[in-house]
């Protein structure tokens, strides 16, 4: 059983705050690490796919880093906005399958 | 492309009834995944197919659950008989495989919210 852990489970910040979450995963047989953004009543949407140790990806105010040797990835949101409120999922890819963490639920208050 | 299409969006059924969930993957995708979302367990992989062939069904909770993929554009997940503890949101996702699988994201449908009363 692959263990993908995310922390914190939930987070409540004020508009303008910067925040970050953690995803930890097995460091062996690594293929890729995915980050998804999941808004209530919608389907999860891919943010980043990361494959190389030391990878850094950025999309607007959201960025992510990857450490495959120690098995963790960080997702950063700079200057959070209410529209960033969602659940952020990471998923570990080994071979064909994606194993998801339980997500970090982010609420950004105006 | 319209993306991954699931039907129905919502299903309410009585305990003991048969439930069939449907999924149409993105055209050209050769992997199809069925996930179940619950508060307790998060997003769990139930089964996945490659080129219409079931590869790993170890996540299927018990014999009451079955899944088929008769062709590249259609899959079903059936629960018979259904029980209240099956209530959850069921997601279907598809992706490309092959050489590019490392970089390939999975595309999700909108999910089917199942309530068994």
């Amino acid at each position: 059983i692959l263990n993908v852990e995310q922390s914190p489970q939930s987070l409540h910040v004020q508009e303008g705050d910067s925040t970050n979450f953690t995803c930890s995963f097995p460091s062996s047989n690594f293929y890729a690490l995915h980050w998804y953004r999941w808004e209530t009543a919608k389907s999860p949407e891919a943010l980043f796919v990361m494959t190389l140790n030391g990878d850094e990806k950025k999309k607007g105010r959201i960025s992510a880093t990857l450490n495959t040797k120690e098995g963790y990835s960080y997702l950063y949101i700079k200057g959070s906005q209410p529209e960033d409120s969602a659940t952020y999922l990471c998923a570990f890819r080994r071979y064909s399958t994606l194993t998801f963490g339980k997500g970090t639920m982010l609420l950004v208050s105006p | 492309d319209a993306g991954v299409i699931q039907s129905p969006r919502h299903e309410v059924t009585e305990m003991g009834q048969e439930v069939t969930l449907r999924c149409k993957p993105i055209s050209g995708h050769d992997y199809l995944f069925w996930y179940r979302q619950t508060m307790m367990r998060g997003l769990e992989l139930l089964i996945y197919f490659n080129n219409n062939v079931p590869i790993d069904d170890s996540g299927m909770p018990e014999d009451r659950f079955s899944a088929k993929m008769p062709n590249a554009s259609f899959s079903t997940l059936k629960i018979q008989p259904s029980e209240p503890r099956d209530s959850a949101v069921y997601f279907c996702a598809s992706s490309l495989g092959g050489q590019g699988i490392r970089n390939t994201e999975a595309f999700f449908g909108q999910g089917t919210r199942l309530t068994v009363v």
Side-chain angles (χ1 to χ4, degrees):
Chain A
I1 296 176
L2 295 175
N3 220 19
V4 181
E5 301 284 345
Q6 288 190 249
S7 64
Q9 200 170 13
S10 63
L11 199 52
H12 185 186
V13 301
Q14 297 297 310
E15 183 175 356
D17 288 349
S18 293
T19 186
N20 65 84
F21 331 128
T22 305
C23 173
S24 61
F25 51 86
S27 53
S28 61
N29 294 320
F30 176 85
Y31 263 47
L33 193 282
H34 296 233
W35 280 100
Y36 283 80
R37 182 171 180 276
W38 189 8
E39 288 182 72
T40 305
K42 294 187 178 179
S43 50
E45 289 186 345
L47 282 172
F48 305 117
V49 180
M50 308 172 79
T51 58
L52 298 174
N53 186 42
D55 244 357
E56 288 189 27
K57 299 271 186 176
K58 189 171 181 190
K59 187 182 285 187
R61 293 178 292 98
I62 305 177
S63 60
T65 60
L66 178 68
N67 183 323
T68 60
K69 292 183 179 177
E70 295 182 38
Y72 65 83
S73 175
Y74 294 135
L75 188 80
Y76 301 91
I77 303 179
K78 185 177 176 182
S80 304
Q81 299 295 309
E83 57 265 31
D84 296 329
S85 298
T87 295
Y88 291 83
L89 297 166
C90 71
F92 171 76
R93 184 184 279 283
R94 177 181 286 173
Y95 312 120
S96 309
T97 60
L98 281 173
T99 301
F100 283 84
K102 291 188 180 176
T104 293
M105 189 184 303
L106 174 67
L107 177 63
V108 183
S109 296
Chain B
D1 200 315
V4 177
I5 300 173
Q6 289 187 247
S7 63
R9 292 290 307 276
H10 303 275
E11 176 82 38
V12 180
T13 190
E14 290 186 347
M15 183 172 70
Q17 296 297 306
E18 178 180 294
V19 175
T20 299
L21 312 181
R22 296 172 178 80
C23 174
K24 182 181 188 305
I26 291 173
S27 177
H29 281 189
D30 48 1
Y31 281 85
L32 183 139
F33 307 86
W34 281 101
Y35 287 91
R36 178 170 69 173
Q37 165 71 16
T38 61
M39 288 293 292
M40 290 294 295
R41 293 171 179 257
L43 206 56
E44 296 176 277
L45 178 64
L46 300 177
I47 184 171
Y48 79 95
F49 296 82
N50 177 216
N51 292 323
N52 315 337
V53 176
I55 303 300
D56 184 353
D57 65 355
S58 58
M60 296 284 260
E62 46 196 276
D63 291 346
R64 297 184 297 106
F65 286 68
S66 62
K68 293 182 180 178
M69 193 165 184
N71 57 62
S73 58
F74 184 65
S75 176
T76 59
L77 178 69
K78 189 176 291 188
I79 309 172
Q80 165 65 21
S82 57
E83 295 182 4
R85 61 193 167 118
D86 301 330
S87 298
V89 181
Y90 291 81
F91 283 99
C92 174
S94 71
S95 75
L96 288 168
Q99 294 281 337
I101 197 170
R102 281 179 185 261
N103 290 316
T104 301
E105 63 185 81
F107 293 82
F108 283 78
Q110 301 255 15
T112 294
R113 181 174 294 278
L114 173 66
T115 304
V116 183
V117 297

